Amino acid sequence: MAGRLVARREFLKNAGLTFAAMLSPARAQTLLQSDAVYASAYKDDSGAYGAALLAEDGTVVARVSLPARGHDVAHHPETGRAVAFARRPGTIAVAFDMAMQRRPQEITAQSGRHFYGHGVFSKDGRLLYASENDFENAAGVIGVYDVDAGFRRLGEFPSGGIGPHDMLLLNDGRTLAIANGGIETHPDFGRAKLNIATMAPCLCFVDRLHGTLVETQALPPALHKLSIRHLAGDGVGSLYFACQFEGAPIRQPPLFGQARPGETMRLFETDNGHLSKLKNYIGSIAANPQAGTLSVTSPRGNCLLVLDGKSGLVLSERRLANVCGVTSHGDAYFASTGNGVLFDTRRGIVESDKLRLDNHLRRIAA
Amino acid sequence: MNKLCRWAVAAVFAAVVFGAPAASSEDKSVTVINSAITGFIIPAHKQFSTAAQKLASNINDLCAAPSDAQLQSVYAGFDGIVSAWASVSIIRIGPILEHNRLEKLLFWPDRRGIGLRQVQAILAKQDTLAISTGGLAEKSVAVLGLAALEFVLYGEGSELLSQKTDEYRCRFAKAISVNINDLAYQLLTEWQAPDGFANTWQNPGPDNALFHDEKEALSALVSVFANGMEYYHTVEIGGFLGLTPEKDRPRQALFRRSDNTLRFLRKTLSDFQLLYQKSALRTLLPASSDWIDEAIGFGFKHGNASLASLSGSAAQILENPQKRAKLAYVGTVVRGLNENFGIDLTAALDLTANFSSLDGD
């Protein structure tokens, strides 16, 4: 606890006077006492979109407006930079600063590209990588942005597949793991999926320094409609992946598994009882290396599962309407819902400010 | 804590997390689903099967004895199947999602022209596999459905259809129409089978793999409307109507070659209204939410009226500012319907609103 408090104070120190000044005394106190701070995209009661910083007790301590619906927030702990990405096929991301000392800055996708909703910073915080769609060529790309040059776009490299979504920077600081969902879309047709019959998702490992594809991993051909969408690192060199199945709902294939560069991807088997509750759709995944577990959520199935990190066996199940965002918290998990409910898997429902929280929840401090 | 007390706490917890629906709403949910199935879905699939059979027969006759008159019969049959397809295409649940049937029946949108290229290659090569019994079904989904058939019947070179007996192009059209007929029959059979999808949908419960309770079954019906409205305004209209006239894409309009774009749009929207009426979904709304039914009625009424007042091909509509504005208005109205179903009705019936109505992320 003492360590967490120091981290909290450090956060406030980094946040600086501007941030502290914008908080009411009660909220500043809340933040100081909170074990953790989280970020999530939201929609409020007036229909406005934004990204919010939330204390562990559910208090919204800061908000950044977004011009359209957001998806995930990438952040860099040391620099305090964060970027909220538009949901696909949005073309705007908003960079902000946890310290709120700079005005939020819009990043506009290059012509012929749109964001997919996820991104990641390099370890030193100087570069930002964003999953993007080269929609005229139906090719996934990773846009590279220079953080200190006002997020100027430096270039791009292939993601290794169609429909890149979530990505992770592996522990080597060099390899990007990219979930290519395999689904072709084009802004002319909104979010319609154009290639379901032939989709071919893959997990790619790309050298971010040279933009070269190091390795492509794929599931067996019979599972070509299992779209690999979200990733979570296990802290020791491998990662977990979570999928959404685009095939017939009556089929219920495994939806999550583990992968490591140089090895064959492994899907975790789940009993039919739990699998059917996920409705062939996992919205978010989080790993908790400290506890040796992972968690997956299904907003369609109103369900959160905590699983053993090695076997994938279900350890616990929570029913929670519209749950989607999930992140590790101590040896447990913190989850968010589209109904504005926050949930701590140790303590239960956390009273919150009732923002409709969007798909992902990121722990940004503590 | 005694057992009763624990139960009470659990019940309060459940009520907080999931909300407490009116019991009568749940009781009526299955009735609404039954009404949707018997009042709209089964008849729609019967009509589609009948239309597919008729078209296959017409094309068979054309190949055997080509003439302008017979070609006109085929065209009338194609108009008929476009209307029947509109009714079936809004039911994006159940058998149509299995075995790529949706894509096999209509490979669209196809903005890169994959289907067209493949169809042209088959015609140029006079590929015998494509016209052999069962051979076509082995081909790419892009050459199997209504979009492929439309090009064969109406595209460049289609004048040959009325001129030469048993011409390759006609035999290819016949093979596609037979395949569509097979698919239409499969859909109908699977909807009607005693242990088919209708039975699954009508009997939610803990042992039901797809619908664990009445709410999930009802959500699936509401999603048909919410997803359908989104698809209608973003893809079926938005696919060719740009945000500005400069961004219009008349060549992307569905069924433009057969001049059936407007017919399809009209039938689709009016069938959504018919499905809404036949299902009696509004009877589940609490009295305080009557306004949602009124808003939905308003949307359908004005959307359908605007479409009825339009005429011409997709290109002609886009070229005429008044007509184009009317089409844009239909898109706006349907976007409102999307919110009425996906947000308002979903909330009023205490159902889970998906993060995304068309799909997730």
Side-chain angles (χ1 to χ4, degrees):
Chain A
M1 185 63 194
R4 286 194 192 118
L5 198 55
V6 170
R8 184 76 21 266
R9 286 175 180 148
E10 195 62 23
F11 175 83
L12 274 183
K13 187 176 146 200
N14 289 340
L17 290 173
T18 310
F19 180 74
M22 63 183 278
L23 299 179
S24 68
R27 292 195 175 211
Q29 185 65 23
T30 299
L31 185 63
L32 190 64
Q33 289 174 349
S34 179
D35 274 356
V37 177
Y38 302 94
S40 176
Y42 70 82
K43 180 181 181 184
D44 69 19
D45 282 342
S46 72
Y49 296 106
L53 297 185
L54 302 145
E56 190 188 18
D57 70 352
T59 308
V60 174
V61 291
R63 295 193 199 194
V64 174
S65 293
L66 298 178
R69 185 173 170 185
H71 187 67
D72 194 14
V73 178
H75 85 286
H76 189 266
E78 280 78 33
T79 62
R81 300 268 202 170
V83 175
F85 289 95
R87 180 178 191 246
R88 73 177 170 91
T91 54
I92 302 286
V94 173
F96 60 101
D97 167 3
M98 304 294 188
M100 302 290 169
Q101 289 182 323
R102 298 181 183 89
R103 290 176 65 82
Q105 180 192 342
E106 283 195 2
I107 306 169
T108 305
Q110 177 176 296
S111 174
R113 306 286 182 271
H114 69 70
F115 294 119
Y116 270 113
H118 289 270
V120 65
F121 284 92
S122 59
K123 270 193 173 170
D124 61 11
R126 293 168 64 185
L127 296 173
L128 173 75
Y129 298 89
S131 52
E132 299 176 4
N133 188 9
D134 171 3
F135 45 82
E136 293 302 339
N137 296 304
V141 297
I142 304 301
V144 186
Y145 297 82
D146 184 339
V147 174
D148 292 327
F151 290 90
R152 184 169 62 91
R153 196 175 195 273
L154 297 174
E156 65 184 26
F157 50 79
S159 73
I162 292 176
H165 198 64
D166 199 1
M167 60 182 154
L168 273 183
L169 185 61
L170 299 189
N171 289 348
D172 64 8
R174 180 162 177 165
T175 309
L176 284 172
I178 302 164
N180 288 297
I183 300 172
E184 181 187 345
T185 56
H186 189 286
D188 284 356
F189 299 100
R191 294 164 56 82
K193 302 161 192 168
L194 305 175
N195 66 334
I196 293 301
T198 57
M199 62 182 281
C202 59
L203 174 65
C204 289
F205 296 97
V206 173
D207 179 341
R208 72 174 179 90
L209 298 181
H210 296 113
T212 49
L213 182 63
V214 177
E215 186 184 353
T216 297
Q217 298 186 3
L219 295 166
L223 293 174
H224 81 98
K225 291 189 182 176
L226 196 53
S227 180
I228 305 166
R229 304 297 275 267
H230 293 108
L231 305 172
D234 74 349
V236 287
S238 67
L239 57 88
Y240 299 107
F241 58 91
C243 306
Q244 296 166 5
F245 186 56
E246 299 291 341
I250 200 73
R251 280 188 66 198
Q252 294 180 340
L255 294 172
F256 44 86
Q258 198 169 18
R260 179 186 280 270
E263 296 182 8
T264 304
M265 309 173 80
R266 181 167 72 108
L267 280 163
F268 288 136
E269 291 299 326
T270 308
D271 63 280
N272 288 340
H274 285 107
L275 203 53
S276 74
K277 288 176 185 164
L278 297 173
K279 299 283 176 195
N280 278 341
Y281 183 98
I282 292 179
S284 278
I285 184 168
N288 191 325
Q290 181 185 327
T293 62
L294 70 149
S295 177
V296 295
T297 59
S298 173
R300 293 187 181 169
N302 304 309
C303 178
L304 177 151
L305 298 180
V306 177
L307 310 139
D308 181 83
K310 286 188 178 145
S311 64
L313 291 174
V314 177
L315 300 175
S316 65
E317 174 197 336
R318 305 285 181 151
R319 298 282 287 163
L320 194 62
N322 227 336
V323 62
C324 197
V326 64
T327 186
S328 65
H329 174 49
D331 59 0
Y333 292 92
F334 205 53
S336 59
T337 81
N339 302 350
V341 170
L342 288 171
F343 186 80
D344 182 327
T345 55
R346 287 175 308 184
R347 295 184 297 147
I349 288 175
V350 177
E351 283 303 319
S352 62
D353 287 350
K354 300 292 181 198
L355 287 174
R356 290 174 214 166
L357 299 170
D358 228 315
N359 298 48
H360 300 290
L361 188 65
R362 291 282 167 192
R363 196 183 61 190
I364 59 169
Chain B
M1 195 184 290
N2 65 33
K3 200 181 264 184
L4 184 63
C5 195
R6 280 205 300 271
W7 183 89
V9 169
V12 169
F13 175 82
V16 168
V17 177
F18 295 106
S24 59
S25 292
E26 288 205 357
D27 295 341
K28 287 182 189 167
S29 296
V30 171
T31 307
V32 164
I33 290 158
N34 290 345
S35 303
I37 292 170
T38 56
F40 182 87
I41 296 173
I42 299 292
H45 283 79
K46 281 182 179 167
Q47 282 164 16
F48 183 54
S49 184
T50 303
Q53 202 170 16
K54 185 177 173 199
L55 179 62
S57 169
N58 283 346
I59 294 176
N60 185 60
D61 293 349
L62 174 70
C63 296
S67 69
D68 288 341
Q70 192 55 44
L71 184 58
Q72 291 312 311
S73 296
V74 168
Y75 285 167
F78 193 82
D79 292 348
I81 204 165
V82 165
S83 291
W85 168 248
S87 314
V88 163
S89 75
I90 69 174
I91 309 299
R92 296 194 179 208
I93 183 172
I96 203 162
L97 299 183
E98 293 173 29
H99 309 296
N100 293 327
R101 287 187 183 119
L102 180 59
E103 293 84 359
K104 286 175 181 173
L105 283 163
L106 182 68
F107 187 76
W108 187 88
D110 180 17
R111 58 174 302 281
R112 286 188 287 156
I114 296 168
L116 176 60
R117 280 204 302 276
Q118 292 184 3
V119 167
Q120 285 174 322
I122 287 172
L123 289 171
K125 195 176 145 193
Q126 303 220 336
D127 183 346
T128 50
L129 183 65
I131 57 170
S132 64
T133 306
L136 181 65
E138 303 302 314
K139 293 274 183 190
S140 152
V141 296
V143 303
L144 302 185
L146 291 165
L149 183 58
E150 187 191 38
F151 179 79
V152 177
L153 293 178
Y154 297 86
E156 190 183 338
S158 59
E159 61 280 0
L160 289 174
L161 291 168
S162 59
Q163 294 168 8
K164 197 173 158 194
T165 304
D166 227 13
E167 201 265 332
Y168 180 84
R169 191 179 186 109
C170 198
R171 294 170 71 190
F172 184 34
K174 186 164 80 176
I176 299 173
S177 67
V178 167
N179 195 57
I180 289 170
N181 189 31
D182 287 347
L183 289 164
Y185 180 74
Q186 288 171 25
L187 286 179
L188 178 61
T189 306
E190 292 195 18
W191 271 102
Q192 290 184 312
D195 59 348
F197 184 77
N199 182 60
T200 303
W201 200 5
Q202 288 163 326
N203 292 285
D207 297 330
N208 185 319
L210 290 180
F211 307 105
H212 293 118
D213 53 39
E214 289 84 355
K215 265 190 165 186
E216 288 189 2
L218 186 62
S219 287
L221 179 62
V222 174
S223 292
V224 165
F225 289 101
N227 295 352
M229 292 294 114
E230 182 170 349
Y231 193 78
Y232 190 91
H233 80 76
T234 60
V235 181
E236 289 172 344
I237 289 183
F240 70 102
L241 175 70
L243 288 175
T244 58
E246 296 72 38
K247 292 184 177 172
D248 287 346
R249 298 170 293 271
R251 292 168 67 84
Q252 292 290 341
L254 181 56
F255 298 129
R256 71 170 176 91
R257 284 193 173 84
S258 60
D259 209 2
N260 270 314
T261 305
L262 193 53
R263 180 192 304 275
F264 178 79
L265 290 175
R266 281 178 182 154
K267 189 68 163 53
T268 302
L269 192 59
S270 65
D271 274 356
F272 270 120
Q273 183 177 24
L274 188 59
L275 175 61
Y276 179 68
Q277 289 164 345
K278 292 283 185 185
S279 69
L281 197 48
R282 64 176 176 77
T283 60
L284 299 183
L285 285 169
S288 59
S289 298
D290 280 351
W291 67 272
I292 298 171
D293 179 51
E294 287 166 17
I296 288 170
F298 175 92
F300 280 132
K301 181 182 168 190
H302 290 277
N304 285 324
S306 295
L307 287 171
S309 70
L310 282 172
S311 59
S313 66
Q316 287 165 342
I317 291 170
L318 295 177
E319 282 163 8
N320 179 313
Q322 283 78 31
K323 289 183 177 180
R324 189 184 179 283
K326 224 170 233 184
L327 185 65
Y329 172 74
V330 175
T332 305
V333 163
V334 174
R335 195 158 55 239
L337 282 168
N338 176 214
E339 292 180 0
N340 292 145
F341 283 106
I343 297 172
D344 305 327
L345 192 119
T346 298
L349 298 181
D350 195 31
L351 302 172
T352 297
N354 284 342
F355 275 92
S356 151
S357 51
L358 188 59
D359 71 335
D361 251 321

